[in-house]
Amino acid sequence: MRVIIAAAGTGGHINPGIAIANKIKEEERSSEIIFIGTSRGLENDLVPRAGYDLKTIEAYGLSKKITINNLKKMSATLKATGKARKIIQEFKPDIVIGAGGYICGPVVWAAKKENIPIILHESNAFPGKAVKVLSKKADTVLISFEEARERIPKAANIVFTGTPVKIEKKDYTIIQKENILKDINLRSDKPIVLIFGGSQGAQRINEAIIGIIENSENQDYQIIWATGPKQFDIIKSELNQKGKNINNIKNAKILPYIYNMEEIMNISDIIVARSGAMTITEISTLGKPSILIPLPNVSQNHQLYNAKVLENIGAAKIILNDELTKDKLNKEIQEIIKRPEEMKKMGEKALTKSVKDVQDRIYKEIKKIVKK
């Protein structure tokens, strides 16, 4: 099978694309797969690292505002369609897969002109503009949340598959959990609250956690906090000014980045995070109660819609970014940990949103279209 995958910008688009590519290679080793992205996004690191060739075009998200800058971006994106078409003509794919984001526009338009079958994958509960516009050009749209179905009315065919993630649910023994916690100087006799704001951190969340730690309000629970690499030294300095040594804080382990995230997420009791599609999928896969702080000012407020997928079934609490304070966050954490049975039920409800055999489902749909 010869496959082109369009994925650009963030890990939320690129990682599912890579997972789909890996599944195709697993099933059909002779398959040839290339990615199309831009020269600006994470794809320039993640795609080659995964072992795939990356072709770049200069595409941009389009805005309704008429400005000189937007007109330049529109012109570049139109030219990108021509370049994408040339890549398609040279590679001669059996199928083009769009993993979401503005890069899909020129690639899908080019594929349509070349009569190449098209699949789109949407990770969010509220589909992005690109998928909404392009859905009528695609043979099939794969969705990660059933809530997205009604929001893509022009799609010819919609299939619920879920989103592929690297993390798996694991039931560690007490000793295994103790050993993982021992490595970061924490204990297993108090609940673990994992806090992160994405790979680069989240300033508003970080400010709330500094307040909790400064006032030692986490006496009843332990914190594992990934600040994000760019925020770590700033937070280290702030805590130092408050008389706190970042490497020696009671009931807390503060890290710039968590490399063994699968282990840490599995042993955590509560997760506090933004609500990107990948994070919601991981929380569901592991069956964890969560407190979600949607990132504001993102396309169509999709993180709020993602968070509501879990809040609506009683698996999560939402705190809006503008309403986040250290007191409010600490109160929500305390209310969950003081009711162990409720905490357990929240996790069980989150698990109902998990999807098994995601890669198999996606591969099945790809084969259906290629065989046509």
Side-chain angles (χ1 to χ4, degrees):
M1 195 189 309
R2 297 177 69 80
V3 183
I4 288 178
I5 298 175
T10 66
H13 295 312
I14 301 158
N15 287 325
I18 290 171
I20 292 168
N22 290 344
K23 177 61 178 178
I24 294 169
K25 291 291 281 186
E26 178 188 318
E27 296 292 336
E28 302 179 36
R29 291 188 179 183
S30 62
S31 294
E32 292 188 36
I33 303 170
I34 64 170
F35 280 70
I36 297 180
T38 70
S39 60
R40 308 183 304 277
L42 281 174
E43 63 270 24
N44 293 274
D45 175 35
L46 298 179
V47 171
R49 191 187 292 268
Y52 298 101
D53 288 337
L54 174 69
K55 306 290 185 181
T56 61
I57 59 177
E58 292 312 304
Y60 296 87
L62 301 181
S63 172
K64 292 180 180 179
K65 293 181 180 179
I66 299 175
T67 65
I68 293 174
N69 189 42
N70 284 337
L71 289 172
K72 286 180 179 178
K73 287 181 178 180
M74 187 181 297
S75 176
T77 301
L78 290 172
K79 288 178 183 177
T81 303
K83 189 172 181 181
R85 192 171 184 181
K86 188 176 180 182
I87 293 169
I88 289 169
Q89 288 170 343
E90 290 175 354
F91 187 74
K92 296 180 173 61
D94 298 304
I95 190 167
V96 166
I97 300 170
Y102 51 80
I103 192 69
C104 290
V107 178
V108 168
W109 289 327
K112 196 68 177 176
K113 288 178 181 178
E114 294 297 317
N115 294 315
I116 305 297
I118 299 161
I119 278 183
L120 296 177
H121 181 271
E122 177 55 70
S123 298
N124 291 295
F126 198 107
K129 290 178 183 177
V131 168
K132 279 186 173 181
V133 171
L134 299 170
S135 60
K136 59 185 176 183
K137 296 183 182 295
D139 295 80
T140 297
V141 179
L142 309 179
I143 57 173
S144 301
F145 301 102
E146 278 292 352
E147 288 80 354
R149 189 181 294 275
E150 64 184 25
R151 295 169 179 143
I152 322 174
K154 295 181 180 179
N157 185 39
I158 300 173
V159 179
F160 173 66
T161 61
T163 292
V165 290
K166 297 177 183 177
I167 284 174
E168 295 180 3
K169 183 174 175 59
K170 294 185 178 179
D171 295 316
Y172 291 114
T173 65
I174 293 173
I175 293 174
Q176 286 174 320
K177 181 177 179 179
E178 285 178 348
N179 287 336
I180 293 168
L181 289 170
K182 189 177 180 181
D183 285 341
I184 52 176
N185 297 318
L186 296 179
R187 307 181 309 279
S188 60
D189 59 347
K190 289 185 179 181
I192 302 294
V193 179
L194 170 62
I195 301 160
F196 60 92
S199 59
Q200 297 305 314
Q203 188 173 351
R204 191 66 183 251
I205 296 175
N206 288 347
E207 288 171 357
I209 306 305
I210 287 173
I212 289 173
I213 287 174
E214 179 188 0
N215 295 285
S216 301
E217 293 178 14
N218 58 315
Q219 295 299 310
D220 299 324
Y221 59 91
Q222 299 173 100
I223 289 171
I224 302 175
W225 175 22
T227 65
K230 292 181 179 179
Q231 297 273 326
F232 184 79
D233 287 338
I234 297 170
I235 289 165
K236 181 179 179 179
S237 177
E238 282 189 40
L239 288 172
N240 190 53
Q241 290 174 16
K242 299 175 189 297
K244 300 279 186 179
N245 181 343
I246 199 167
N247 297 311
N248 187 28
I249 295 176
K250 187 178 180 182
N251 292 335
K253 181 64 178 179
I254 305 173
L255 301 159
Y257 188 82
I258 297 173
Y259 291 95
N260 60 331
M261 185 59 94
E262 183 175 62
E263 284 185 336
I264 298 300
M265 288 186 82
N266 266 288
I267 65 168
S268 297
D269 297 290
I270 304 171
I271 293 173
V272 177
R274 293 296 194 194
S275 48
M278 294 295 284
T279 299
I280 297 296
T281 303
E282 289 168 349
I283 289 170
S284 303
T285 298
L286 301 180
K288 297 292 179 179
S290 56
I291 299 170
L292 302 170
I293 302 104
L295 179 65
N297 305 319
V298 292
S299 178
Q300 297 175 302
N301 210 15
H302 68 250
Q303 283 210 4
L304 178 60
Y305 288 93
N306 291 343
K308 284 183 176 180
V309 168
L310 294 181
E311 184 194 50
N312 288 344
I313 60 171
K317 304 286 186 181
I318 295 177
I319 302 177
L320 297 179
N321 198 70
D322 291 344
E323 297 174 0
L324 178 64
T325 64
K326 60 110 176 166
D327 290 332
K328 188 157 191 169
L329 179 56
N330 184 52
K331 181 183 176 184
E332 292 287 3
I333 293 171
Q334 295 280 4
E335 285 184 0
I336 295 173
I337 65 170
K338 287 180 178 178
R339 296 182 294 169
E341 279 303 311
E342 181 61 26
M343 183 163 66
K344 183 182 176 184
K345 286 179 182 177
M346 286 179 72
E348 290 170 349
K349 289 172 182 176
L351 201 57
T352 65
K353 285 292 181 180
S354 67
V355 184
K356 293 181 179 179
D357 306 321
V358 172
Q359 279 97 331
D360 290 335
R361 293 178 182 221
I362 293 173
Y363 178 71
K364 179 182 176 183
E365 296 305 318
I366 292 169
K367 288 298 289 182
K368 273 185 191 176
I369 291 174
V370 171
K371 282 180 180 178
K372 286 182 182 179

